[in-house]
Amino acid sequence: MSDARITDAQRADAALIWDYHRLRHRLRPCSAAIGLGSHDLGVATFAAELYRAGLFPVLVFSGANSPTTAERFPRGEAVHYAEHAMTLGVPRSAIIIEPCAKNTGDNITLSRQALEQAGVGTSSVLLISKPYMERRAYATCRRLWPEVDPVCASEPLSFDDYVKSIGDERLVIDMIVGDLQRVIEYPRLGFAIAQHIPGPVTTAYHRLAEAGFDSRLLKRRPPLS
């Protein structure tokens, strides 16, 4: 499958799912922000931009490593994000490093604990993630931290521009398909709130999964933890 050409129809299906993942929240000042760790350093870049815009006083970078980030960020996602943000003008005093999170639930739960331990009162939180992870981040936060008002943000990139920034179109499509599977499956596992998924988005998801864009799909039911 890796050598197969991506068709225009498949690209259109991927762009449809991409648009569904993007929540397009209106950005506003929040008590704190969380930069969710991943392979994408653009999260830290955009977090620094939003900090300089005055949208929050304190920023948690959360993330350990996954198989896809261990080589890229050998000291952990949160550490590398923090170092990058500091080169872009975010003072170390405004950053909390949460180096243990291994999944999105951990990102929310451990960042909440880190903010509480730092004495930061949090009534609202700006969740900064990869563009196609906005919806899952929101649903996870609403489930695990219902007391806080979440606002989601990501680099304002189109699907085509994001593919260019990553340099691997098939990988990007695999990832957005995998994230949609989690949006579908995680509510019944207690990981996230349920969200409406329009019929065309569901149809596009099934077409892409059946066509072999499946490297990021859950192969088995994840453990409750």
Side-chain angles (χ1 to χ4, degrees):
M1 179 64 189
S2 60
D3 295 327
R5 186 178 69 87
I6 297 171
T7 68
D8 288 342
Q10 289 167 343
R11 198 169 286 114
D13 279 344
L16 181 65
I17 298 173
W18 171 272
D19 287 341
Y20 173 72
H21 283 313
R22 300 289 304 279
L23 294 176
R24 294 176 174 81
H25 285 171
R26 182 179 64 84
L27 299 184
R28 55 181 174 79
C30 291
S31 306
I34 301 172
L36 282 72
S38 72
H39 64 89
D40 185 357
L41 202 58
V43 175
T45 301
F46 196 53
E49 179 180 331
L50 298 181
Y51 175 83
R52 295 194 305 270
L55 289 181
F56 47 84
V58 61
L59 169 60
V60 181
F61 283 122
S62 173
N65 272 127
S66 70
T68 58
T69 64
E71 182 175 349
R72 178 171 171 78
F73 301 134
R75 296 187 305 283
E77 297 157 5
V79 171
H80 284 266
Y81 272 25
E83 292 172 348
H84 183 64
M86 285 187 283
T87 70
L88 298 175
V90 182
R92 179 64 182 87
S93 59
I95 296 174
I96 297 172
I97 296 175
E98 187 294 294
C100 299
K102 295 183 179 298
N103 54 55
T104 308
D106 284 352
N107 288 141
I108 300 301
T109 300
L110 297 179
S111 294
R112 177 183 186 176
Q113 293 173 4
L115 288 165
E116 291 172 350
Q117 290 167 4
V120 179
T122 310
S123 60
S124 57
V125 64
L126 188 60
L127 302 174
I128 307 169
S129 69
K130 298 169 293 188
Y132 60 85
M133 197 177 170
E134 282 190 22
R135 185 172 292 276
R136 180 155 65 98
Y138 174 80
T140 304
C141 187
R142 287 289 310 277
R143 173 65 178 83
L144 300 179
W145 196 359
E147 301 85 359
V148 80
D149 182 17
V151 178
C152 293
S154 64
E155 286 188 291
L157 298 174
S158 68
F159 170 71
D160 288 339
D161 286 341
Y162 190 78
V163 167
K164 290 175 184 176
S165 75
I166 298 300
D168 187 334
E169 184 174 31
R170 183 166 299 279
L171 175 63
V172 172
I173 297 177
D174 280 3
M175 291 190 294
I176 67 173
V177 169
D179 254 59
L180 183 53
Q181 184 197 37
R182 287 157 177 79
V183 169
I184 295 167
E185 297 292 335
Y186 277 5
R188 67 183 179 85
L189 299 173
F191 296 165
I193 63 166
Q195 299 175 90
H196 172 67
I197 304 174
V201 174
T202 301
T203 300
Y205 162 75
H206 286 298
R207 276 198 296 252
L208 290 173
E210 290 165 5
F213 294 91
D214 57 5
S215 73
R216 297 306 172 101
L217 292 180
L218 300 168
K219 304 304 187 215
R220 59 183 176 83
R221 184 177 175 134
L224 285 169
S225 61

